[in-house]
Amino acid sequence: MIHPPFFDTGRSFEENVLHGPFNAFADGEVFLREGEPQHRFLGFPVYLPFGIPAGPLPTARFAKAAFEKGFDLPVYKTVRTRELRSHPWPNVLPVEVDGDLTLEKRDKGLVVADDFREPLAITNSFGVPSSDPSFWQEDMREAVQAAGKGQVLIASFQGTNRGEGVDAFVGDYVLGARLVKETGAQILEVNYSCPNEGTTNLLCYDTDRIERISARIKDEIGNTPLLIKLAYFESQEHLRDMVRRLGKIVDGFAAINTIGAAVRNKDGSQALPGEGRLVSGICGAPIKWAGIDMVQRLKALREELGYSYAIVGTGGVTKPEDYAEYRAAGADAVMSATGAMWNPYLAKETQEYVKKHGIQ
Ligand SMILES: Cc1cc2nc3c(=O)[nH]c(=O)nc-3n(C[C@H](O)[C@H](O)[C@H](O)COP(=O)(O)O)c2cc1C
């Protein structure tokens, strides 16, 4: 069932940061847990390995509300080492997708839908905005401390390519990791897969580069667990080589980010205003197949290569059954962005569902 969203798509990113969260995430109602946490994620006890991935939770107030509603693994939206403004509003639009967003449908591009409805299919385009560390470090510290028993905050960050060469780019990731770790965050996630920056090639597809960056980040943060956020990999050989090299450096893989596709109005014009915004990230129900596929492949590779990394399954989780499907596919934790935005009770409903059906 669709509820009014806690991140208001009718407002700009800045207004959400200043005034959000909205609707049920602002009612202060707490989903109370009983007993002891029965699960562990990267060594941390959790009631349910379920959360909200990087995106819909841009401030401590959003993260606190997510904890209160039973999302035990919320991710604080990706931050940078310097302020960067969001793409102009609108940033989220509903899109028409008939069934799965196959790669053929992605290549043809999509058309905007009239309203947000089930099955939820949206595009989002923010450009990974960030406040200055002088603001977000203090706010992130609050978010870390808002975790209750059996809950832990994950902090997402990324570097920025300012055209100053590879060393500076790598160094910016390392600085980001240091600044995030200073907040007390216990799990870090580095975003290598945003399609909304106007670049055609995602960083996660450049194995040499992410191997170098990840090794430098791990040198910086020591034993603090590091997840890396991936997009969908079409080639199994490419994925296998990347996992073989990165699987011994990082502590886990989070997959998937959105799938980039051109989005147009019904008259064929570009839907989102501004340069570099014809292609934007598609998420929600139609990308579940791709998230499940990546989780299954990451699990098979973990067995084949004898690694022990964690797998975070994301993409198209809009109902409790989707959580169960991801767990069966091999996800150690499951997350929902689009589904949770329009259903603040998804964690509670999933808890009830797993209890009833005896699912882990
Ligand atoms: C509003 C919104 C903002 C997002 N921003 C980020 C981000 O800052 N960093 C990131 O790694 N992923 C971001 N994402 C992608 C999500 O983390 C997730 O990978 C993707 O939406 C697929 O999950 P879903 O189908 O449950 O939405 C964002 C998604 C949404 C809906």
Side-chain angles (χ1 to χ4, degrees):
M1 187 185 158
I2 292 191
H3 299 259
F6 64 76
F7 182 101
D8 188 350
T9 58
R11 299 180 194 234
S12 69
F13 179 73
E14 289 76 20
E15 282 179 280
N16 271 280
V17 166
L18 280 176
H19 305 296
F22 300 96
N23 299 307
F25 263 35
D27 67 12
E29 212 178 283
V30 179
F31 171 48
L32 292 172
R33 325 301 281 278
E34 286 162 16
E36 293 302 310
Q38 297 297 321
H39 295 275
R40 290 190 93 79
F41 177 68
L42 289 170
F44 295 92
V46 287
Y47 280 102
L48 190 73
F50 186 52
I52 297 179
L57 308 174
T59 67
R61 283 208 308 270
F62 282 82
K64 183 168 181 285
F67 280 132
E68 287 174 352
K69 292 287 182 280
F71 293 93
D72 294 335
L73 292 171
V75 185
Y76 191 103
K77 184 169 166 58
T78 311
V79 292
R80 299 178 185 263
T81 62
R82 273 192 241 166
E83 183 177 5
L84 186 76
R85 286 190 70 77
S86 166
H87 289 330
W89 185 89
N91 304 96
V92 179
L93 296 173
V95 290
E96 296 278 4
V97 186
D98 186 13
D100 288 346
L101 178 64
T102 59
L103 301 180
E104 294 73 37
K105 286 184 202 167
R106 170 201 66 185
D107 292 343
K108 280 192 198 143
L110 298 174
V111 171
V112 170
D114 295 329
D115 50 16
F116 295 103
R117 58 172 183 265
E118 287 177 290
L120 274 169
I122 67 168
T123 185
N124 86 76
S125 162
F126 294 88
V128 197
S130 179
S131 54
D132 188 77
S134 58
F135 171 82
W136 66 249
Q137 276 198 303
E138 205 179 317
D139 191 61
M140 190 181 275
R141 202 167 285 129
E142 256 177 57
V144 169
Q145 286 165 8
K149 181 175 169 180
Q151 302 186 316
V152 58
L153 184 98
I154 300 172
S156 171
F157 69 100
Q158 69 177 63
T160 306
N161 190 351
R162 299 189 178 91
E164 294 160 359
V166 177
D167 288 348
F169 186 44
V170 175
D172 199 50
Y173 272 90
V174 179
L175 174 61
R178 184 185 316 148
L179 294 170
V180 169
K181 196 181 167 186
E182 280 170 8
T183 69
Q186 292 168 295
I187 301 175
L188 271 55
E189 178 177 286
V190 56
N191 182 14
Y192 289 147
S193 49
C194 180
N196 297 327
E197 296 197 79
T199 46
T200 43
N201 243 334
L202 301 178
L203 191 58
C204 64
Y205 298 143
D206 186 340
T207 305
D208 290 342
R209 186 67 50 89
I210 64 172
E211 184 179 34
R212 183 173 158 199
I213 297 173
S214 303
R216 289 278 312 278
I217 292 173
K218 276 305 277 185
D219 281 348
E220 177 67 38
I221 66 174
N223 288 336
T224 303
L226 177 68
L227 299 168
I228 69 176
K229 179 86 173 273
L230 303 173
Y232 183 72
F233 276 60
E234 292 179 42
S235 155
Q236 180 64 12
E237 264 326 290
H238 186 181
L239 180 68
R240 191 177 183 286
D241 178 58
M242 188 280 290
V243 170
R244 186 180 56 76
R245 289 161 61 181
L246 274 289
K248 54 182 179 241
I249 299 172
V250 304
D251 301 275
F253 296 100
I256 58 171
N257 209 311
T258 55
I259 295 181
V263 180
R264 296 185 173 84
N265 295 310
K266 289 195 177 90
D267 65 6
S269 59
Q270 181 175 324
L272 290 157
E275 210 184 311
R277 290 183 87 197
L278 174 63
V279 172
S280 55
I282 310 300
C283 44
I287 71 164
K288 187 176 77 175
W289 71 271
I292 294 277
D293 183 56
M294 278 289 281
V295 166
Q296 285 169 338
R297 290 156 72 195
L298 287 167
K299 183 178 180 234
L301 286 167
R302 182 169 65 186
E303 277 157 25
E304 181 196 322
L305 299 164
Y307 287 160
S308 58
Y309 53 75
I311 302 169
V312 180
T314 306
V317 176
T318 61
K319 44 190 195 312
E321 290 87 335
D322 300 329
Y323 168 89
E325 202 180 326
Y326 266 98
R327 292 285 279 161
D332 300 294
V334 181
M335 297 197 181
S336 169
T338 306
M341 264 171 76
W342 276 272
N343 183 2
Y345 308 110
L346 189 57
K348 181 172 181 277
E349 288 168 13
T350 303
Q351 280 273 0
E352 288 160 1
Y353 181 88
V354 300
K355 204 168 162 195
K356 186 167 163 205
H357 293 87
I359 292 162
Q360 280 297 298

